[in-house]
Amino acid sequence: MYELQQSLRQFEKRAYDLFMENLVKGTSHLSLGMEAVATGFGRAMHSDDYTFATYRGHAHTIARGAPLGPVMAELLGRENGILKGKGGSMHLTSVEHGMMGSYAIIGAHLCIANGAAWSAQMRGTDQVAVAFFGDGTTNIGAFHEALNFAVIWDLPVVFVCENNLYMEYTPIDLVSAVPNPAADRAAAYGLDRIIVDGNDADAVYEVATSVFDRARRGAGPSLVEAVTYRHGGHSRADPGKYRPAEEVEAWLERDPIPMYHQRLLELGVSESELSAIQQSVAERVEEATEFAKQGAVPAADQLFVDVWSDGGASWRN
Ligand SMILES: Cc1ncc(C[n+]2csc(CCOP(=O)(O)OP(=O)(O)O)c2C)c(N)n1
């Protein structure tokens, strides 16, 4: 768990540097500060479970085991990227790792996750579909449609609200009728009110294990609200200045990674073991960056290849 959190943190910090060098194409949304959620859920998943994420999906993709080099190359729009450089930061997908996509239309993927869960239910597997989304998404119709459908059909799906207190530039409490925008609405669908400290990877793992068990034994969906905070702005063009300095400071003190580091020290893990992990992650991020930079930009004649599931029927071209 410590290693994965370090990977997510160091990978995204490097992605930010590459963005500043104008090497990352398009916009990008980081989850620096929110690593414990992707880590706790990612580690509790089985390899054939399904992940659905928003445009803030780097961490969830890496948590499913997608290799750092090809993910970084994808951010740079290179042909050695996981989608041959044609998806970029906002559409990260790796079906072979169960990462079923990153979606820019907020709320849409909750309904798609229901479809994956329904398919697992019909096939009689014990797969679970997990949909991650932000607090602002709880005010979108698709959130309510997805929950209702999942409950009436007992689907093996877990909805995870990453409540980072802001929807884009708006504090969530200015636009929501209840203080916990996901958990306080669970009762409307007959679900338990589940809130977890989203900065504590162990607490997240524990909750994830219990809601996954429930889904696998056919007891239906769950809605989890993980309360956390993004260290930066909404996207990389946003300095996040609308947030009070003392709020940012208080959350930086609750940074999930130093907290986890401290917990491991108290459990008897040595400082040198932890710095060896940090160092090996730093080397892997370095290698990933080199791999990405060496990739070619896709050729123009590849523009319509792999865009359609059938490879692109001639009438479309
Ligand atoms: C259906 C839809 N409406 C509006 C938008 C524009 N939009 C982009 S991000 C965003 C805020 C999302 O906030 P939240 O769900 O809290 O996610 P976070 O960015 O905090 O992870 C909105 C409204 C969109 N992408 N999709």
Side-chain angles (χ1 to χ4, degrees), residues 126-183:
D126 74 346
Q127 294 164 287
V128 175
V130 187
F132 297 94
F133 53 94
D135 39 277
T137 303
T138 62
N139 291 331
I140 288 270
F143 166 81
H144 300 275
E145 291 172 27
L147 275 162
N148 189 55
F149 188 91
V151 170
I152 58 171
W153 284 19
D154 284 332
L155 296 181
V157 58
V158 173
F159 301 105
V160 183
C161 174
E162 297 183 86
N163 182 0
N164 60 19
L165 314 190
Y166 287 84
M167 53 166 292
E168 258 172 335
Y169 323 115
T170 307
I172 191 64
D173 58 3
L174 287 187
V175 290
S176 295
V178 286
N180 286 98

Short mmCIF file of all heavy atoms in Angstrom, two decimals, residues 126-183:
data_model
loop_
_atom_site.label_atom_id
_atom_site.label_comp_id
_atom_site.label_asym_id
_atom_site.label_seq_id
_atom_site.Cartn_x
_atom_site.Cartn_y
_atom_site.Cartn_z
N ASP A 126 -18.02 -13.82 -10.01
CA ASP A 126 -18.10 -13.02 -8.77
C ASP A 126 -17.41 -11.66 -8.96
O ASP A 126 -16.93 -11.06 -8.02
CB ASP A 126 -17.53 -13.78 -7.57
CG ASP A 126 -16.02 -13.86 -7.59
OD1 ASP A 126 -15.41 -13.56 -8.64
OD2 ASP A 126 -15.43 -14.20 -6.55
N GLN A 127 -17.42 -11.17 -10.20
CA GLN A 127 -16.79 -9.87 -10.48
C GLN A 127 -17.63 -8.72 -9.92
O GLN A 127 -18.86 -8.78 -9.89
CB GLN A 127 -16.65 -9.66 -11.99
CG GLN A 127 -15.69 -10.61 -12.66
CD GLN A 127 -15.91 -10.61 -14.15
OE1 GLN A 127 -16.90 -11.16 -14.64
NE2 GLN A 127 -15.01 -9.97 -14.88
N VAL A 128 -16.91 -7.67 -9.52
CA VAL A 128 -17.56 -6.45 -9.04
C VAL A 128 -17.16 -5.30 -9.95
O VAL A 128 -16.01 -5.23 -10.40
CB VAL A 128 -17.14 -6.15 -7.58
CG1 VAL A 128 -17.71 -4.82 -7.10
CG2 VAL A 128 -17.59 -7.27 -6.65
N ALA A 129 -18.09 -4.41 -10.23
CA ALA A 129 -17.76 -3.18 -10.97
C ALA A 129 -17.71 -2.03 -9.97
O ALA A 129 -18.57 -1.92 -9.09
CB ALA A 129 -18.83 -2.91 -12.03
N VAL A 130 -16.67 -1.22 -10.08
CA VAL A 130 -16.50 -0.11 -9.15
C VAL A 130 -16.46 1.19 -9.95
O VAL A 130 -15.68 1.30 -10.91
CB VAL A 130 -15.18 -0.25 -8.36
CG1 VAL A 130 -15.10 0.82 -7.27
CG2 VAL A 130 -15.07 -1.63 -7.74
N ALA A 131 -17.30 2.14 -9.58
CA ALA A 131 -17.32 3.43 -10.27
C ALA A 131 -16.87 4.52 -9.30
O ALA A 131 -17.47 4.70 -8.25
CB ALA A 131 -18.72 3.74 -10.78
N PHE A 132 -15.79 5.22 -9.66
CA PHE A 132 -15.30 6.34 -8.86
C PHE A 132 -15.81 7.64 -9.48
O PHE A 132 -15.81 7.78 -10.70
CB PHE A 132 -13.76 6.35 -8.86
CG PHE A 132 -13.15 5.12 -8.24
CD1 PHE A 132 -12.78 4.03 -9.02
CD2 PHE A 132 -12.95 5.06 -6.87
CE1 PHE A 132 -12.23 2.90 -8.46
CE2 PHE A 132 -12.39 3.92 -6.28
CZ PHE A 132 -12.03 2.84 -7.08
N PHE A 133 -16.19 8.58 -8.63
CA PHE A 133 -16.70 9.87 -9.13
C PHE A 133 -16.55 10.92 -8.03
O PHE A 133 -16.28 10.58 -6.87
CB PHE A 133 -18.17 9.74 -9.56
CG PHE A 133 -19.04 9.16 -8.47
CD1 PHE A 133 -19.74 9.98 -7.61
CD2 PHE A 133 -19.14 7.79 -8.31
CE1 PHE A 133 -20.52 9.45 -6.59
CE2 PHE A 133 -19.91 7.25 -7.28
CZ PHE A 133 -20.60 8.08 -6.42
N GLY A 134 -16.75 12.18 -8.40
CA GLY A 134 -16.57 13.26 -7.44
C GLY A 134 -17.86 13.64 -6.73
O GLY A 134 -18.95 13.16 -7.07
N ASP A 135 -17.73 14.52 -5.75
CA ASP A 135 -18.88 14.97 -4.96
C ASP A 135 -19.89 15.73 -5.82
O ASP A 135 -21.10 15.58 -5.65
CB ASP A 135 -18.42 15.86 -3.80
CG ASP A 135 -17.28 16.78 -4.21
OD1 ASP A 135 -16.14 16.32 -4.21
OD2 ASP A 135 -17.56 17.93 -4.59
N GLY A 136 -19.40 16.52 -6.80
CA GLY A 136 -20.31 17.29 -7.65
C GLY A 136 -21.22 16.38 -8.45
O GLY A 136 -22.37 16.73 -8.75
N THR A 137 -20.74 15.18 -8.74
CA THR A 137 -21.49 14.23 -9.56
C THR A 137 -22.76 13.76 -8.85
O THR A 137 -23.71 13.31 -9.50
CB THR A 137 -20.55 13.06 -9.93
OG1 THR A 137 -19.43 13.62 -10.61
CG2 THR A 137 -21.21 12.03 -10.79
N THR A 138 -22.81 13.88 -7.53
CA THR A 138 -24.01 13.44 -6.80
C THR A 138 -25.21 14.34 -7.10
O THR A 138 -26.33 14.01 -6.73
CB THR A 138 -23.77 13.44 -5.27
OG1 THR A 138 -23.48 14.78 -4.86
CG2 THR A 138 -22.62 12.53 -4.89
N ASN A 139 -24.97 15.49 -7.75
CA ASN A 139 -26.08 16.37 -8.12
C ASN A 139 -26.52 16.18 -9.57
O ASN A 139 -27.32 16.96 -10.08
CB ASN A 139 -25.70 17.83 -7.86
CG ASN A 139 -25.59 18.13 -6.37
OD1 ASN A 139 -26.27 17.49 -5.57
ND2 ASN A 139 -24.73 19.05 -6.00
N ILE A 140 -25.98 15.15 -10.21
CA ILE A 140 -26.31 14.85 -11.61
C ILE A 140 -27.37 13.73 -11.63
O ILE A 140 -27.29 12.79 -10.83
CB ILE A 140 -25.02 14.38 -12.35
CG1 ILE A 140 -24.08 15.56 -12.56
CG2 ILE A 140 -25.30 13.64 -13.62
CD1 ILE A 140 -24.25 16.33 -13.83
N GLY A 141 -28.30 13.82 -12.55
CA GLY A 141 -29.38 12.82 -12.63
C GLY A 141 -28.87 11.39 -12.75
O GLY A 141 -29.44 10.47 -12.15
N ALA A 142 -27.80 11.21 -13.52
CA ALA A 142 -27.31 9.85 -13.77
C ALA A 142 -26.90 9.14 -12.47
O ALA A 142 -27.01 7.91 -12.37
CB ALA A 142 -26.13 9.88 -14.74
N PHE A 143 -26.44 9.91 -11.48
CA PHE A 143 -26.08 9.32 -10.18
C PHE A 143 -27.31 8.62 -9.58
O PHE A 143 -27.24 7.47 -9.13
CB PHE A 143 -25.56 10.44 -9.26
CG PHE A 143 -25.45 10.10 -7.79
CD1 PHE A 143 -24.36 9.40 -7.31
CD2 PHE A 143 -26.43 10.51 -6.89
CE1 PHE A 143 -24.24 9.10 -5.96
CE2 PHE A 143 -26.31 10.22 -5.53
CZ PHE A 143 -25.22 9.51 -5.06
N HIS A 144 -28.44 9.32 -9.59
CA HIS A 144 -29.67 8.79 -8.98
C HIS A 144 -30.25 7.64 -9.82
O HIS A 144 -30.72 6.64 -9.27
CB HIS A 144 -30.66 9.93 -8.78
CG HIS A 144 -30.10 10.99 -7.88
ND1 HIS A 144 -30.17 10.93 -6.51
CD2 HIS A 144 -29.36 12.10 -8.16
CE1 HIS A 144 -29.52 11.96 -5.97
NE2 HIS A 144 -29.03 12.69 -6.97
N GLU A 145 -30.20 7.78 -11.13
CA GLU A 145 -30.69 6.71 -12.00
C GLU A 145 -29.89 5.44 -11.77
O GLU A 145 -30.42 4.33 -11.67
CB GLU A 145 -30.56 7.11 -13.47
CG GLU A 145 -31.49 8.23 -13.88
CD GLU A 145 -31.18 8.72 -15.30
OE1 GLU A 145 -30.65 7.94 -16.11
OE2 GLU A 145 -31.47 9.90 -15.58
N ALA A 146 -28.57 5.61 -11.69
CA ALA A 146 -27.68 4.45 -11.55
C ALA A 146 -27.94 3.75 -10.21
O ALA A 146 -28.03 2.52 -10.15
CB ALA A 146 -26.22 4.88 -11.66
N LEU A 147 -28.07 4.54 -9.14
CA LEU A 147 -28.29 3.93 -7.82
C LEU A 147 -29.61 3.16 -7.78
O LEU A 147 -29.68 2.04 -7.29
CB LEU A 147 -28.31 5.03 -6.75
CG LEU A 147 -26.91 5.39 -6.26
CD1 LEU A 147 -26.92 6.73 -5.55
CD2 LEU A 147 -26.39 4.31 -5.32
N ASN A 148 -30.65 3.79 -8.31
CA ASN A 148 -31.96 3.14 -8.29
C ASN A 148 -31.93 1.82 -9.04
O ASN A 148 -32.36 0.78 -8.54
CB ASN A 148 -33.00 4.09 -8.89
CG ASN A 148 -34.41 3.59 -8.70
OD1 ASN A 148 -34.82 3.32 -7.58
ND2 ASN A 148 -35.13 3.42 -9.78
N PHE A 149 -31.37 1.84 -10.22
CA PHE A 149 -31.31 0.65 -11.06
C PHE A 149 -30.49 -0.44 -10.38
O PHE A 149 -30.87 -1.62 -10.34
CB PHE A 149 -30.68 1.05 -12.41
CG PHE A 149 -30.74 -0.02 -13.45
CD1 PHE A 149 -31.80 -0.09 -14.33
CD2 PHE A 149 -29.71 -0.95 -13.58
CE1 PHE A 149 -31.84 -1.08 -15.31
CE2 PHE A 149 -29.75 -1.94 -14.55
CZ PHE A 149 -30.82 -2.01 -15.42
N ALA A 150 -29.34 -0.04 -9.82
CA ALA A 150 -28.45 -1.02 -9.18
C ALA A 150 -29.14 -1.71 -8.01
O ALA A 150 -28.98 -2.92 -7.80
CB ALA A 150 -27.18 -0.32 -8.71
N VAL A 151 -29.92 -0.92 -7.25
CA VAL A 151 -30.57 -1.50 -6.07
C VAL A 151 -31.70 -2.44 -6.47
O VAL A 151 -31.79 -3.55 -5.97
CB VAL A 151 -31.09 -0.38 -5.13
CG1 VAL A 151 -31.97 -0.96 -4.03
CG2 VAL A 151 -29.91 0.37 -4.51
N ILE A 152 -32.54 -2.00 -7.43
CA ILE A 152 -33.70 -2.87 -7.72
C ILE A 152 -33.24 -4.20 -8.35
O ILE A 152 -33.91 -5.20 -8.20
CB ILE A 152 -34.77 -2.18 -8.60
CG1 ILE A 152 -34.18 -1.71 -9.90
CG2 ILE A 152 -35.46 -1.05 -7.85
CD1 ILE A 152 -35.22 -1.23 -10.90
N TRP A 153 -32.08 -4.20 -9.00
CA TRP A 153 -31.58 -5.44 -9.61
C TRP A 153 -30.46 -6.10 -8.80
O TRP A 153 -29.81 -7.02 -9.29
CB TRP A 153 -31.13 -5.17 -11.05
CG TRP A 153 -32.31 -5.03 -11.98
CD1 TRP A 153 -33.61 -4.77 -11.63
CD2 TRP A 153 -32.31 -5.16 -13.40
NE1 TRP A 153 -34.40 -4.71 -12.74
CE2 TRP A 153 -33.64 -4.95 -13.84
CE3 TRP A 153 -31.34 -5.42 -14.34
CZ2 TRP A 153 -33.99 -5.00 -15.19
CZ3 TRP A 153 -31.68 -5.47 -15.68
CH2 TRP A 153 -33.00 -5.27 -16.10
N ASP A 154 -30.18 -5.61 -7.62
CA ASP A 154 -29.14 -6.21 -6.76
C ASP A 154 -27.81 -6.37 -7.49
O ASP A 154 -27.15 -7.42 -7.39
CB ASP A 154 -29.58 -7.60 -6.26
CG ASP A 154 -30.61 -7.52 -5.15
OD1 ASP A 154 -30.61 -6.51 -4.43
OD2 ASP A 154 -31.41 -8.47 -5.04
N LEU A 155 -27.40 -5.36 -8.21
CA LEU A 155 -26.19 -5.51 -9.03
C LEU A 155 -24.92 -5.49 -8.18
O LEU A 155 -24.84 -4.77 -7.19
CB LEU A 155 -26.13 -4.38 -10.06
CG LEU A 155 -27.26 -4.36 -11.08
CD1 LEU A 155 -27.08 -3.19 -12.07
CD2 LEU A 155 -27.34 -5.69 -11.85
N PRO A 156 -23.91 -6.27 -8.59
CA PRO A 156 -22.64 -6.27 -7.87
C PRO A 156 -21.80 -5.05 -8.28
O PRO A 156 -20.80 -5.16 -9.01
CB PRO A 156 -21.98 -7.59 -8.31
CG PRO A 156 -22.53 -7.86 -9.67
CD PRO A 156 -23.93 -7.28 -9.68
N VAL A 157 -22.23 -3.89 -7.83
CA VAL A 157 -21.55 -2.66 -8.21
C VAL A 157 -21.31 -1.84 -6.94
O VAL A 157 -22.12 -1.85 -6.01
CB VAL A 157 -22.38 -1.87 -9.27
CG1 VAL A 157 -23.76 -1.51 -8.78
CG2 VAL A 157 -21.65 -0.62 -9.75
N VAL A 158 -20.17 -1.15 -6.90
CA VAL A 158 -19.84 -0.29 -5.76
C VAL A 158 -19.60 1.12 -6.30
O VAL A 158 -18.78 1.32 -7.20
CB VAL A 158 -18.60 -0.82 -5.01
CG1 VAL A 158 -18.16 0.18 -3.94
CG2 VAL A 158 -18.89 -2.18 -4.38
N PHE A 159 -20.37 2.06 -5.77
CA PHE A 159 -20.23 3.46 -6.17
C PHE A 159 -19.35 4.16 -5.13
O PHE A 159 -19.68 4.13 -3.94
CB PHE A 159 -21.60 4.13 -6.25
CG PHE A 159 -22.53 3.47 -7.24
CD1 PHE A 159 -23.58 2.67 -6.81
CD2 PHE A 159 -22.35 3.66 -8.61
CE1 PHE A 159 -24.43 2.06 -7.72
CE2 PHE A 159 -23.21 3.04 -9.53
CZ PHE A 159 -24.24 2.25 -9.08
N VAL A 160 -18.28 4.77 -5.60
CA VAL A 160 -17.34 5.42 -4.66
C VAL A 160 -17.25 6.90 -4.96
O VAL A 160 -16.72 7.31 -6.00
CB VAL A 160 -15.93 4.80 -4.76
CG1 VAL A 160 -15.02 5.45 -3.71
CG2 VAL A 160 -15.98 3.29 -4.58
N CYS A 161 -17.82 7.70 -4.05
CA CYS A 161 -17.73 9.15 -4.19
C CYS A 161 -16.43 9.61 -3.54
O CYS A 161 -16.23 9.43 -2.34
CB CYS A 161 -18.92 9.81 -3.51
SG CYS A 161 -18.78 11.61 -3.48
N GLU A 162 -15.54 10.18 -4.34
CA GLU A 162 -14.31 10.76 -3.79
C GLU A 162 -14.65 12.22 -3.48
O GLU A 162 -14.57 13.08 -4.36
CB GLU A 162 -13.18 10.67 -4.80
CG GLU A 162 -12.83 9.24 -5.14
CD GLU A 162 -11.65 9.13 -6.09
OE1 GLU A 162 -10.51 9.13 -5.62
OE2 GLU A 162 -11.87 9.05 -7.30
N ASN A 163 -15.07 12.45 -2.24
CA ASN A 163 -15.49 13.79 -1.86
C ASN A 163 -14.27 14.63 -1.52
O ASN A 163 -13.76 14.59 -0.40
CB ASN A 163 -16.46 13.71 -0.67
CG ASN A 163 -16.95 15.10 -0.28
OD1 ASN A 163 -16.56 16.11 -0.88
ND2 ASN A 163 -17.81 15.16 0.72
N ASN A 164 -13.83 15.41 -2.52
CA ASN A 164 -12.65 16.28 -2.29
C ASN A 164 -13.09 17.72 -1.99
O ASN A 164 -12.30 18.65 -2.11
CB ASN A 164 -11.67 16.20 -3.46
CG ASN A 164 -12.30 16.65 -4.77
OD1 ASN A 164 -13.32 17.33 -4.78
ND2 ASN A 164 -11.69 16.29 -5.89
N LEU A 165 -14.35 17.86 -1.62
CA LEU A 165 -14.95 19.11 -1.13
C LEU A 165 -15.21 20.17 -2.20
O LEU A 165 -15.82 21.20 -1.90
CB LEU A 165 -14.15 19.74 0.02
CG LEU A 165 -13.67 18.83 1.15
CD1 LEU A 165 -13.11 19.68 2.29
CD2 LEU A 165 -14.77 17.93 1.66
N TYR A 166 -14.79 19.94 -3.42
CA TYR A 166 -15.02 20.93 -4.49
C TYR A 166 -15.52 20.25 -5.75
O TYR A 166 -15.03 19.19 -6.12
CB TYR A 166 -13.72 21.69 -4.83
CG TYR A 166 -13.35 22.67 -3.74
CD1 TYR A 166 -12.64 22.24 -2.63
CD2 TYR A 166 -13.76 24.01 -3.80
CE1 TYR A 166 -12.33 23.13 -1.59
CE2 TYR A 166 -13.46 24.90 -2.78
CZ TYR A 166 -12.75 24.45 -1.68
OH TYR A 166 -12.46 25.33 -0.66
N MET A 167 -16.50 20.88 -6.39
CA MET A 167 -16.84 20.47 -7.75
C MET A 167 -16.32 21.59 -8.66
O MET A 167 -16.81 22.71 -8.60
CB MET A 167 -18.32 20.20 -7.95
CG MET A 167 -19.27 21.30 -7.56
SD MET A 167 -20.92 21.02 -8.23
CE MET A 167 -20.64 21.22 -9.97
N GLU A 168 -15.30 21.24 -9.41
CA GLU A 168 -14.54 22.26 -10.13
C GLU A 168 -14.11 23.35 -9.15
O GLU A 168 -13.38 23.08 -8.21
CB GLU A 168 -15.33 22.82 -11.32
CG GLU A 168 -14.85 22.21 -12.62
CD GLU A 168 -15.70 22.56 -13.82
OE1 GLU A 168 -16.89 22.88 -13.69
OE2 GLU A 168 -15.15 22.50 -14.93
N TYR A 169 -14.65 24.58 -9.29
CA TYR A 169 -14.18 25.69 -8.45
C TYR A 169 -15.19 26.04 -7.36
O TYR A 169 -15.06 27.05 -6.68
CB TYR A 169 -13.93 26.92 -9.34
CG TYR A 169 -13.34 26.53 -10.68
CD1 TYR A 169 -14.03 26.73 -11.87
CD2 TYR A 169 -12.10 25.90 -10.74
CE1 TYR A 169 -13.50 26.31 -13.09
CE2 TYR A 169 -11.56 25.48 -11.95
CZ TYR A 169 -12.27 25.68 -13.12
OH TYR A 169 -11.74 25.26 -14.30
N THR A 170 -16.22 25.20 -7.20
CA THR A 170 -17.32 25.51 -6.29
C THR A 170 -17.28 24.60 -5.06
O THR A 170 -17.27 23.37 -5.21
CB THR A 170 -18.67 25.28 -7.02
OG1 THR A 170 -18.65 26.02 -8.23
CG2 THR A 170 -19.85 25.71 -6.17
N PRO A 171 -17.28 25.18 -3.85
CA PRO A 171 -17.34 24.32 -2.66
C PRO A 171 -18.63 23.50 -2.70
O PRO A 171 -19.71 24.06 -2.96
CB PRO A 171 -17.36 25.31 -1.49
CG PRO A 171 -16.86 26.60 -2.05
CD PRO A 171 -17.23 26.61 -3.50
N ILE A 172 -18.53 22.22 -2.43
CA ILE A 172 -19.70 21.35 -2.58
C ILE A 172 -20.84 21.77 -1.65
O ILE A 172 -22.01 21.65 -1.99
CB ILE A 172 -19.32 19.86 -2.41
CG1 ILE A 172 -20.46 18.94 -2.82
CG2 ILE A 172 -18.84 19.53 -1.01
CD1 ILE A 172 -20.85 19.00 -4.27
N ASP A 173 -20.50 22.35 -0.47
CA ASP A 173 -21.59 22.69 0.46
C ASP A 173 -22.42 23.88 -0.02
O ASP A 173 -23.51 24.14 0.49
CB ASP A 173 -21.08 22.89 1.90
CG ASP A 173 -20.02 23.97 2.01
OD1 ASP A 173 -19.72 24.62 0.98
OD2 ASP A 173 -19.50 24.17 3.12
N LEU A 174 -21.95 24.61 -1.03
CA LEU A 174 -22.76 25.70 -1.58
C LEU A 174 -23.85 25.20 -2.52
O LEU A 174 -24.78 25.92 -2.83
CB LEU A 174 -21.88 26.68 -2.38
CG LEU A 174 -20.95 27.62 -1.63
CD1 LEU A 174 -20.32 28.61 -2.60
CD2 LEU A 174 -21.72 28.37 -0.55
N VAL A 175 -23.68 23.98 -3.01
CA VAL A 175 -24.61 23.50 -4.04
C VAL A 175 -25.27 22.17 -3.69
O VAL A 175 -25.91 21.56 -4.54
CB VAL A 175 -23.88 23.37 -5.41
CG1 VAL A 175 -23.55 24.74 -5.98
CG2 VAL A 175 -22.64 22.51 -5.31
N SER A 176 -25.11 21.73 -2.43
CA SER A 176 -25.73 20.46 -2.05
C SER A 176 -26.59 20.65 -0.80
O SER A 176 -26.20 21.36 0.13
CB SER A 176 -24.67 19.39 -1.75
OG SER A 176 -23.98 19.11 -2.92
N ALA A 177 -27.72 19.96 -0.77
CA ALA A 177 -28.69 20.14 0.30
C ALA A 177 -28.28 19.46 1.60
O ALA A 177 -28.81 19.77 2.66
CB ALA A 177 -30.04 19.59 -0.16
N VAL A 178 -27.32 18.54 1.51
CA VAL A 178 -26.93 17.77 2.70
C VAL A 178 -25.41 17.83 2.84
O VAL A 178 -24.70 18.01 1.85
CB VAL A 178 -27.40 16.30 2.57
CG1 VAL A 178 -28.90 16.19 2.76
CG2 VAL A 178 -26.98 15.70 1.22
N PRO A 179 -24.90 17.70 4.07
CA PRO A 179 -23.45 17.86 4.26
C PRO A 179 -22.61 16.75 3.64
O PRO A 179 -21.49 17.01 3.19
CB PRO A 179 -23.27 17.88 5.79
CG PRO A 179 -24.58 17.58 6.39
CD PRO A 179 -25.64 17.61 5.34
N ASN A 180 -23.10 15.54 3.64
CA ASN A 180 -22.35 14.45 3.00
C ASN A 180 -23.10 14.05 1.73
O ASN A 180 -24.05 13.26 1.78
CB ASN A 180 -22.18 13.26 3.95
CG ASN A 180 -21.15 13.57 5.01
OD1 ASN A 180 -21.48 13.94 6.13
ND2 ASN A 180 -19.88 13.47 4.65
N PRO A 181 -22.69 14.61 0.62
CA PRO A 181 -23.52 14.55 -0.59
C PRO A 181 -23.83 13.14 -1.10
O PRO A 181 -24.87 12.93 -1.71
CB PRO A 181 -22.70 15.33 -1.63
CG PRO A 181 -21.30 15.35 -1.10
CD PRO A 181 -21.43 15.32 0.39
N ALA A 182 -22.96 12.17 -0.83
CA ALA A 182 -23.26 10.80 -1.25
C ALA A 182 -23.93 10.05 -0.10
O ALA A 182 -25.06 9.56 -0.22
CB ALA A 182 -22.00 10.08 -1.69
N ALA A 183 -23.24 9.99 1.04
CA ALA A 183 -23.71 9.14 2.15
C ALA A 183 -25.10 9.55 2.64
O ALA A 183 -25.93 8.68 2.96
CB ALA A 183 -22.71 9.20 3.29
#
